[in-house]
Amino acid sequence: MIVAVDTGGTKTLIASFADDGSLLDHWKFPTPATEAEYVHVLSQELHRHFGNKTVDALVVAMPGIVIDGVAVWCNNLKWKNFNVVGALSGILGDTPVFVDNDANLAGLAEARSMKEVVPLCLYVTISTGIGSGIITDGNIHHALRKSEIGRTLVEFDGVVREWETFASGKAIHGTYGKYARDITSKKVWHAIADRISRGFLATIPVLQPDVIIIGGSIGTYFSAYGADLKNFLKERLPDHIPVPKIIKAKHPEEAVIYGCYYYGVDSLALESA
């Protein structure tokens, strides 16, 4: 059994997977404000549900840059240099702990769920913040695993700012006073599509992905703005740079936990090789 932990800016989701990859159980709790409280609450949850069970791997997703098991910086949580592996090792006995960026893991799951593995897949999660996973040939791209697409600097309303500050779910709620699930105005969704397009206009010419997959809470409502987004990109990208295929994530809000499963399987295989 593999246990997955998706640490989000507002909530943390725990899930368990059978050896064949089928989802066994899942539940969530509000993400605590501090690293110490997070470790305490998560430890209680893991002990309560898995203390007497055999767990092959504990895979933890963090909403920020992860280097060698350390969450160097989680912007929305304001956590810095959090040694996740060190803090969680031993909680489930000798179960190994693996950690990576949440968007990398979500991208891994979504890329592998496609009928055909593409050379370069760009996964973008638009939720509390904006994160990215760059997947090449079905694997997290090692050299680009620290990429933070939400930090992309672009012009919006005459000001150069980070893409996440005006196009994330948090920013959309702050601007329109509504969560995505409550927005019904086509005019508002058209404006949101414009906001989302700005970051892609900056990154598509650099990466030129074969496919872009949009997940997260805003990804859930892709049908409300997807056509407008594609039109904005088609109108504004240089003629020689094609608009990639853009699709909604298969699991917009659960992709991270599925990615944790795949990452756990891959990591265990490497350890036993």
Side-chain angles (χ1 to χ4, degrees), residues 25-215:
D25 192 16
H26 61 93
W27 70 97
K28 65 184 69 173
F29 60 88
T31 301
T34 68
E35 297 98 314
E37 187 180 0
Y38 167 82
V39 172
H40 176 70
V41 175
L42 180 58
S43 298
Q44 287 186 323
E45 293 291 329
L46 293 175
H47 273 296
R48 183 179 299 118
H49 291 270
F50 307 110
N52 297 319
K53 299 179 181 179
T54 299
V55 178
D56 299 304
L58 173 62
V59 186
V60 182
M62 299 300 295
I65 298 173
V66 175
I67 301 176
D68 296 329
V70 177
V72 178
W73 176 241
C74 298
N75 187 63
N76 288 296
L77 290 171
K78 307 306 178 187
W79 294 353
K80 184 177 181 181
N81 295 325
F82 175 26
N83 187 342
V84 184
V85 170
L88 298 179
S89 291
I91 285 179
L92 293 177
D94 59 359
T95 298
V97 180
F98 305 111
V99 184
D100 209 317
N101 170 267
D102 55 357
N104 283 342
L105 294 168
L108 178 66
E110 290 295 325
R112 291 193 181 180
S113 71
M114 298 179 68
K115 292 182 179 179
E116 294 183 8
V117 175
V118 299
L120 200 162
C121 169
L122 172 61
Y123 174 84
V124 176
T125 176
I126 307 177
S127 192
T128 303
I130 297 180
S132 58
I134 300 172
I135 313 299
T136 52
D137 298 320
N139 294 288
I140 298 171
H141 194 291
H142 181 73
L144 298 175
R145 69 188 314 129
K146 294 183 289 183
S147 298
E148 288 280 281
I149 203 170
R151 307 272 78 76
T152 302
L153 295 173
V154 292
E155 182 277 331
F156 184 73
D157 280 350
V159 179
V160 175
R161 61 184 76 179
E162 293 180 353
W163 185 28
E164 181 179 276
T165 63
F166 63 85
S168 66
K170 181 178 179 180
I172 290 170
H173 181 267
T175 300
Y176 301 104
K178 294 182 178 180
Y179 292 106
R181 63 175 178 267
D182 301 318
I183 298 175
T184 57
S185 168
K186 291 183 178 180
K187 183 178 180 180
V188 170
W189 278 116
H190 182 79
I192 291 172
D194 178 36
R195 289 168 177 257
I196 294 173
S197 74
R198 302 305 178 97
F200 286 131
L201 288 168
T203 54
I204 287 174
V206 177
L207 295 175
Q208 297 200 34
D210 299 283
V211 61
I212 293 175
I213 303 174
I214 301 180

Side-chain angles (χ1 to χ4, degrees), residues 265-273:
V265 171
D266 292 350
S267 299
L268 290 171
L270 285 173
E271 285 196 343
S272 63

